[in-house]
């Protein structure tokens, strides 16, 4: 994603009612933030948040949290959020590697990783959102039946993930290298990047995985 510094982005995020400030203070108490005990689903690297807001509109019985580390990107999501009537979605401007400080064990039902940055150089492998370091963070906060759902157009990142996930002791329960021509497409919600890459004719890969064997 091309990043531009947007003057005032940090200030807008710090004063937004849609962004949880000091999220570490909510650890173990996210149900109180939403005012109900519905399951919590997170998108890591939500970008402008189209995917998660569409899910929030169609599933009022699920609570959603969008995580995006860049304020300039999150700001665009906030502008869209302000135009929608939604009670079941909040955002965090944090690095996902800190998620275990913010969510208690078992507090999260599902984590979506959509079109994560591929970090192609070996020396940057630890930054990939399907690397062992990130998987161990997800494992700490997912509930017993918790899952990750990962979509990408990047064949190398997908091949890496098909190895890194089982090596970390997880089970891949389903996967496809051509989502839009697979039964896994049922109920699929397109992300911004998915729309862009599939319009270029690139097949979309998807996998679902859970911690444990
Ligand atoms: N998920 C969106 C989509 O599919 O359209 C956006 C994809 S964009 C390529 C990836 C986003 O993930 C970027 O906005 C980036 O800033 C964010 N991101 C990458 N690593 C992250 C991390 N460790 N913590 C939080 N956000 C991250």
């Amino acid at each position: 994603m091309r990043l531009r510094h947007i003057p005032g982005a940090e200030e807008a995020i710090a004063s937004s009612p849609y962004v949880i400030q000091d999220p570490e203070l909510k650890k173990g108490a996210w149900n109180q933030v939403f005012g109900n005990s519905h399951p919590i689903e997170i998108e890591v690297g939500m970008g402008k948040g189209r995917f998660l807001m569409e899910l929030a509109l169609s599933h009022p019985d699920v609570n959603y949290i969008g995580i995006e580390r860049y304020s300039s990107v999150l700001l665009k999501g906030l502008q869209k959020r302000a135009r929608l009537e939604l009670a079941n979605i909040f955002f965090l401007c944090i690095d996902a590697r800190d998620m275990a400080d913010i969510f208690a064990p078992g507090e999260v039902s599902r984590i979506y990783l959509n079109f994560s940055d591929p970090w192609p150089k070996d020396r940057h492998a630890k930054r990939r959102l399907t690397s062992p370091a990130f998987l161990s963070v997800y494992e700490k906060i997912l509930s017993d039946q918790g899952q990750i759902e990962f979509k990408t157009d990047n064949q190398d990142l997908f091949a890496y993930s098909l190895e890194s996930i089982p090596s970390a002791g997880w089970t891949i329960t389903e996967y496809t290298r051509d989502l839009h021509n697979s039964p896994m497409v049922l109920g699929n919600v397109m992300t911004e990047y998915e729309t862009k890459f599939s319009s270029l004719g690139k097949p979309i890969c998807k996998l679902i995985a859970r911690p444990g064997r």
Side-chain angles (χ1 to χ4, degrees):
M1 178 165 294
R2 239 178 312 137
L3 284 178
R4 249 182 334 122
H5 176 70
I6 300 184
E10 274 95 14
E11 292 78 357
I13 280 162
S15 63
S16 169
Y18 309 125
V19 181
I20 303 295
Q21 316 294 333
D22 300 321
E24 316 73 36
L25 302 178
K26 312 294 183 201
K27 184 172 179 173
W30 283 96
N31 287 342
Q32 289 169 30
V33 173
F34 288 99
N36 60 50
S37 56
H38 295 163
I40 293 174
E41 301 190 355
I42 295 177
E43 184 182 10
V44 172
M46 63 165 239
K48 297 179 203 160
R50 165 178 147 184
F51 167 84
L52 212 60
M53 285 186 245
E54 198 172 325
L55 281 186
L57 281 167
S58 55
H59 300 280
D61 49 350
V62 178
N63 294 326
Y64 294 95
I65 297 175
I67 291 181
E68 172 52 56
R69 68 176 159 180
Y70 290 118
S71 56
S72 54
V73 180
L74 178 55
L75 184 63
K76 299 197 173 138
L78 293 182
Q79 288 159 353
K80 185 174 177 155
R81 168 69 184 85
R83 297 191 291 272
L84 301 172
E85 285 280 326
L86 284 171
N88 59 336
I89 186 165
F90 286 104
F91 304 118
L92 305 180
C93 194
I94 60 157
D95 191 310
R97 68 183 71 241
D98 298 330
M99 285 164 84
D101 298 330
I102 290 171
F103 297 96
E107 204 167 22
V108 176
S109 295
R110 195 184 308 256
I111 297 172
Y112 298 98
L113 309 170
N114 291 324
F115 299 83
S116 312
D117 303 316
W119 296 109
K121 293 186 179 145
D122 284 349
R123 67 189 156 91
H124 292 148
K126 277 192 186 152
R127 300 182 193 178
R128 298 175 192 152
L129 293 183
T130 50
S131 66
F134 277 100
L135 291 168
S136 85
V137 171
Y138 309 148
E139 191 165 354
K140 285 188 185 125
I141 64 173
L142 278 173
S143 60
D144 283 349
Q145 304 299 316
Q147 295 181 325
I148 59 168
E149 295 198 11
F150 170 53
K151 292 197 275 188
T152 184
D153 64 301
N154 189 293
Q155 296 291 335
D156 290 343
L157 180 62
F158 196 66
Y160 165 84
S161 307
L162 286 177
E163 287 190 9
S164 68
I165 293 173
S167 305
W170 289 52
T171 302
I172 296 176
T173 52
E174 238 181 316
Y175 76 92
T176 173
R177 285 195 167 82
D178 188 3
L179 175 63
H180 296 172
N181 292 301
S182 130
M184 284 179 79
V185 78
L186 200 72
N188 185 50
V189 172
M190 300 272 275
T191 80
E192 271 122 4
Y193 272 66
E194 186 170 357
T195 304
K196 185 167 100 182
F197 291 128
S198 56
S199 74
L200 297 172
K202 285 190 159 197
I204 304 302
C205 306
K206 176 171 181 174
L207 68 78
I208 300 177
R210 60 169 166 76
R213 302 223 186 256

